[in-house]
Amino acid sequence: MKVSQAGKMALSAILSNKLRSFLTMLGIIIGVMAVTLLISIVQGASNTVTGQLDDLGGDQLIVQIINPTKRLTLSEVEALAEEEGVAYVSPTLGGNGTARAFGNSMDVSVSGITGSYKDVQGLDLESGRVITQTDNDYRLSVCVIGRKVATELFGTTACIGKNLRLNGKDYRIAGVLTEQVQTAVEDPNATVYIPLTNAQRLLSEVNVSLFYVAVEEEADMDAVKALLDRKLLAKYDDEDDYLIVNMADVIDIIDTIMGTLELLLAAIAGISLVVGGIGIMNIMLVSVTERTREIGIRKAIGAQRGDIIVQFMIESVILSLFGGIIGMAVSQAVLTTVNILHPGYNFAISFNTGAVALGFSILVGLVFGIYPAAKAAGLKPINALRYE
Amino acid sequence: MIELRDIKKIYQLGGEEVHALDGVSLVIEDREFVAVVGASGSGKSTLMNIIGCLDTPDEGAYFIDGQDVSDLSEHDQSIMRNRKIGFIFQQFNLLPKLTAYENVELPLIYQGVSSAERKERVTEALKRVGLENRMWHRPNQLSGGQQQRVAVARALVTRPALILADEPTGNLDSHSTGEIMELLKELHRAGNTLVLITHDDEIASEAPRRVRLFDGKVVADMRSDARKADGSSGTDFDGNAVADRNMKAAPAPVMRSGPGGGSPGGGSAGTVSGPGEESFIPEEDPEEVTDGR
């Protein structure tokens, strides 16, 4: 007998009891959904985080001064820009503040930056201009605000030239950022950027505790890091007083963590697939008992062991495969909905995830179909025909 | 042609040996129409299973078209059933979810016949049983008689060496019974070999040759004159010989006293269990013997 004929028989058996077939598939549907959803979400989140870090500057070093008693002055930091292999140095001075305008108020992050910040961090402006070197030179009270700050205080992003009051001091708004991705570390949407020299006064803090160093060539990263290390060690004598972080290393670490998490979640979700498989086996066994007479008739008119095995195996594989396809479709629908609701993310089932999930459902169908199929094929036609 | 030589089948029932078939020898020529008659427990179901390659004998040899099939593997048995035997069952045994057409098509699918040829043969078989207008009906949309005609079509679509009908009219009303018997006789006239298994002597009397089983043994083998009217190629000599054997082998009182008087409470599968079933043997036998002459 041809497999296509066995497929037809299996399909008609599945369609003849749609509710039961669906309930049987449900285990696989949920299993595949769990696997594909979890993996896709972890992958999506991982890509988003590493993408953000990459945007922050995969080609930059972050230097943090830990010892509060011995901080670097602005000129010391800016002098580092002259070193070999260094493209930009962007010192920042961070703090918190309250912004007010039109009777509205909002807690914001305050970030004192220099003209090179945009080159290093790459912020996108919706309108206006960025903080420049000139702003810093004259300690101008101007600011660039995040989108959320603009909408909360002014109800619109068209607020260039208006003033906001930050910790009791007036700042003229020079630029508004586009919607930025919020990261675990910072939310640019709720940040007010002001010239660093101005921030020194506002936050009563002269020294720079954190600065970013962009390298000219990514290949120079390690050399620049070693250079900074030498310079800072010479100044501090203690390597615990400062910390140099290579963003690319951070991205690698996150990738590794996410990869492990992905595997772990896939394994947990995989258990539900196995449970779904047991559900298929259970129903197939019931079905074999119910169809004892049918099997007897088929054998009496000439079906061979192999014919019956193939028929039942195909039935179980179709159940699990359809379950897998439906599960993936539902997953994709869920992910698409999430993507629409949260424009910052882009979740999708990768080809590999899809292939593994479908492959695994077929495997589940095969493995859990063998026993019922063998049981059906092993029925003796005389006994099976007598079965009521 | 099928030939059974000294077939024995023994079952173990609760530690007791039951000789379901106790040395049955039978030759059925091509184009013959034979009724195997017997009460329940006479061994006719076991005989049917063996003739139908659903079971193998413990002893003896069984030939279909000269091929020994008494010792076949399960796999070869199923091939035999598929190629050589067409089954007609008491319960029709159609697959309820398939249409009449698909039911008849099934044995051809298992044979691996091409779909074009299947279409031709299935249509032809359904025409032969007069159901060309009911091809796409499911069994539950057909009357009992029609369902059994579908089963007949399924049995003959493979052009088997032998059509084996097990109580084909057992579940039918008298009208449908007449229809099916007419159909079977027609198939016989058209050259098919038919074995009809029944407990009903009236049904059996429609067959030109009747084999009576009792306690796992052939106790009578009778041929009626109707056979000649059918134009089959029997000879008087055969008929006489059979009738002689019948007279010797069927001493009615012995048969009666054996199971009836022997074990009143022990009614195991190998013995005749009801008085009604016993009684028809002596009543009908003399008629048959005279018929045979």
Side-chain angles (χ1 to χ4, degrees):
Chain A
M1 185 178 58
K2 286 197 208 111
V3 171
S4 62
Q5 286 293 345
K8 260 188 220 165
M9 288 175 190
L11 207 59
S12 76
I14 288 169
L15 292 178
S16 71
N17 203 335
K18 292 187 189 68
L19 178 64
R20 178 197 281 186
S21 301
F22 174 73
L23 290 174
T24 311
M25 274 191 252
L26 204 54
I28 296 291
I29 292 175
I30 291 171
V32 167
M33 250 182 79
V35 170
T36 51
L37 266 184
L38 287 174
I39 293 182
S40 301
I41 285 173
V42 171
Q43 277 178 351
S46 169
N47 288 342
T48 308
V49 170
T50 54
Q52 284 168 359
L53 292 175
D54 224 29
D55 282 350
L56 288 178
D59 56 348
Q60 67 183 353
L61 298 166
I62 304 164
V63 182
Q64 191 175 8
I65 309 301
I66 295 162
N67 188 335
T69 58
K70 291 189 269 180
R71 280 185 172 164
L72 291 173
T73 64
L74 184 56
S75 51
E76 273 178 308
V77 173
E78 281 180 331
L80 290 172
E82 307 304 318
E83 298 293 339
E84 171 118 25
V86 176
Y88 306 100
V89 174
S90 171
T92 64
L93 197 57
N96 296 314
T98 307
R100 288 174 207 281
F102 289 113
N104 300 320
S105 82
M106 179 187 180
D107 289 332
V108 294
S109 300
V110 180
S111 192
I113 59 175
T114 64
S116 57
Y117 187 85
K118 181 180 162 30
D119 297 319
V120 181
Q121 304 291 50
L123 294 176
D124 294 322
L125 283 170
E126 182 171 305
S127 56
R129 63 174 180 84
V130 292
I131 302 291
T132 63
Q133 189 59 42
T134 317
D135 296 327
N136 269 287
D137 289 346
Y138 295 96
R139 289 185 186 159
L140 294 179
S141 292
V142 293
C143 64
V144 171
I145 59 175
R147 204 185 155 82
K148 202 163 139 197
V149 180
T151 50
E152 289 220 0
L153 295 183
F154 300 97
T156 167
T157 56
C159 50
I160 306 290
K162 290 180 177 156
N163 280 358
L164 65 75
R165 183 166 280 250
L166 187 62
N167 291 3
K169 222 178 133 190
D170 280 331
Y171 286 82
R172 193 171 48 81
I173 295 165
V176 178
L177 298 178
T178 56
E179 175 92 26
Q180 301 287 306
V181 174
Q182 180 182 349
T183 68
V185 207
E186 55 177 358
D187 181 7
N189 299 317
T191 300
V192 176
Y193 298 90
I194 56 176
L196 189 134
T197 48
N198 196 302
Q200 286 176 322
R201 287 191 176 171
L202 184 77
L203 302 171
S204 313
E205 173 63 65
V206 180
N207 293 316
V208 175
S209 57
L210 184 74
F211 61 94
Y212 302 92
V213 177
V215 294
E216 278 172 345
E217 298 288 335
E218 232 176 297
D220 298 339
M221 192 76 96
D222 289 336
V224 173
K225 191 179 174 189
L227 179 88
L228 288 173
D229 209 27
R230 271 203 309 280
K231 291 234 155 208
L232 291 168
L233 195 60
K235 184 177 167 68
Y236 288 105
D237 292 330
D238 184 352
E239 58 186 19
D240 289 339
D241 282 350
Y242 61 92
L243 184 68
I244 307 172
V245 179
N246 180 348
M247 270 309 221
D249 289 348
V250 175
I251 292 172
D252 281 351
I253 290 167
I254 288 175
D255 274 345
T256 311
I257 293 171
M258 288 304 203
T260 313
L261 188 64
E262 195 180 307
L263 209 63
L264 182 77
L265 287 175
I268 292 171
I271 292 171
S272 63
L273 259 183
V274 173
V275 173
I278 293 170
I280 286 189
M281 177 153 81
N282 192 10
I283 291 298
M284 293 295 293
L285 283 174
V286 171
S287 167
V288 167
T289 310
E290 272 185 4
R291 283 150 72 188
T292 299
R293 199 176 175 81
E294 175 196 326
I295 295 161
I297 295 169
R298 286 180 184 276
K299 288 192 116 182
I301 62 173
Q304 282 160 33
R305 237 184 133 82
D307 295 330
I308 303 287
I309 287 190
V310 167
Q311 187 193 339
F312 275 82
M313 288 292 275
I314 287 184
E315 207 174 311
S316 128
V317 168
I318 287 180
L319 279 176
S320 62
L321 183 62
F322 277 21
I325 291 170
I326 294 173
M328 286 215 340
V330 176
S331 286
Q332 186 56 60
V334 170
L335 292 175
T336 307
T337 311
V338 171
N339 287 342
I340 290 168
L341 294 177
H342 300 273
Y345 295 96
N346 190 15
F347 292 122
I349 299 172
S350 72
F351 177 78
N352 283 346
T353 310
V356 167
L358 280 191
F360 204 67
S361 3
I362 293 173
L363 187 74
V364 161
L366 283 174
V367 168
F368 291 102
I370 287 172
Y371 177 65
K375 199 179 166 197
L379 288 172
K380 279 197 180 291
I382 1 175
N383 300 336
L385 277 174
R386 237 177 263 149
Y387 186 87
E388 291 298 330
Chain B
M1 186 186 90
I2 71 167
E3 183 181 1
L4 296 133
R5 277 188 210 154
D6 200 25
I7 296 283
K8 288 184 181 167
K9 185 77 186 176
I10 299 157
Y11 292 111
Q12 299 288 337
L13 268 185
E16 208 177 328
E17 280 197 349
V18 179
H19 292 254
L21 289 179
D22 196 5
V24 171
S25 296
L26 196 63
V27 176
I28 296 170
E29 298 288 345
D30 284 346
R31 296 166 168 263
E32 255 194 306
F33 181 5
V34 182
V36 175
V37 206
S40 74
S42 61
K44 65 183 195 309
S45 295
T46 310
L47 184 66
M48 187 209 85
N49 288 341
I50 286 170
I51 293 176
C53 290
L54 290 163
D55 205 353
T56 49
D58 293 327
E59 273 178 52
Y62 172 34
F63 299 89
I64 298 180
D65 289 344
Q67 192 181 352
D68 188 354
V69 296
S70 50
D71 204 22
L72 286 181
S73 69
E74 197 199 309
H75 176 80
D76 295 332
Q77 274 187 10
S78 61
I79 292 178
M80 266 299 158
R81 287 196 294 272
N82 190 215
R83 309 261 160 180
K84 298 283 188 186
I85 295 156
F87 285 97
I88 302 166
F89 299 98
Q90 180 175 4
Q91 286 92 359
F92 320 141
N93 279 347
L94 300 174
L95 295 185
K97 277 162 189 162
L98 302 186
T99 61
Y101 180 92
E102 289 165 332
N103 265 293
V104 176
E105 189 186 22
L106 208 52
L108 296 181
I109 289 176
Y110 287 127
Q111 273 186 11
V113 172
S114 76
S115 72
E117 195 187 336
R118 285 207 302 265
K119 192 174 175 197
E120 192 184 307
R121 282 167 68 173
V122 171
T123 313
E124 186 204 313
L126 281 166
K127 254 185 205 152
R128 248 178 111 177
V129 299
L131 284 179
E132 62 268 40
N133 298 326
R134 295 279 189 279
M135 273 197 223
W136 306 109
H137 288 59
R138 298 214 170 160
N140 61 8
Q141 297 164 319
L142 298 171
S143 72
Q146 285 172 331
Q147 287 184 53
Q148 194 60 300
R149 296 212 310 249
V150 174
V152 171
R154 182 179 66 184
L156 62 88
V157 76
T158 58
R159 297 165 190 158
L162 173 71
I163 293 175
L164 189 56
D166 178 22
E167 302 274 12
T169 58
N171 276 4
L172 297 178
D173 58 38
S174 57
H175 175 71
S176 301
T177 297
E179 263 180 28
I180 292 295
M181 288 314 297
E182 269 317 305
L183 184 57
L184 291 180
K185 281 193 276 187
E186 199 180 299
L187 290 178
H188 172 230
R189 280 196 293 274
N192 286 287
T193 313
L194 273 169
V195 173
L196 171 71
I197 289 172
T198 182
H199 69 278
D200 185 339
D201 286 75
E202 204 179 315
I203 297 292
S205 68
E206 307 251 8
R209 179 181 170 196
R210 293 166 300 278
V211 173
R212 182 170 301 280
L213 274 186
F214 187 83
D215 258 2
K217 291 190 177 78
V218 175
V219 292
D221 192 340
M222 300 149 287
R223 293 172 198 233
S224 56
D225 295 334
R227 205 163 153 249
K228 286 178 207 155
D230 281 351
S232 301
S233 60
T235 63
D236 278 340
F237 176 77
D238 279 345
N240 289 334
V242 166
D244 281 347
R245 215 190 301 157
N246 173 24
M247 284 167 78
K248 272 182 260 165
V254 176
M255 287 160 56
R256 206 178 179 186
S257 64
S263 54
S268 62
T271 59
V272 175
S273 51
E277 282 164 342
E278 285 170 51
S279 64
F280 81 85
I281 297 163
E283 274 172 31
E284 305 240 23
D285 256 355
E287 276 179 45
E288 302 237 342
V289 173
T290 43
D291 263 349
R293 284 170 183 163

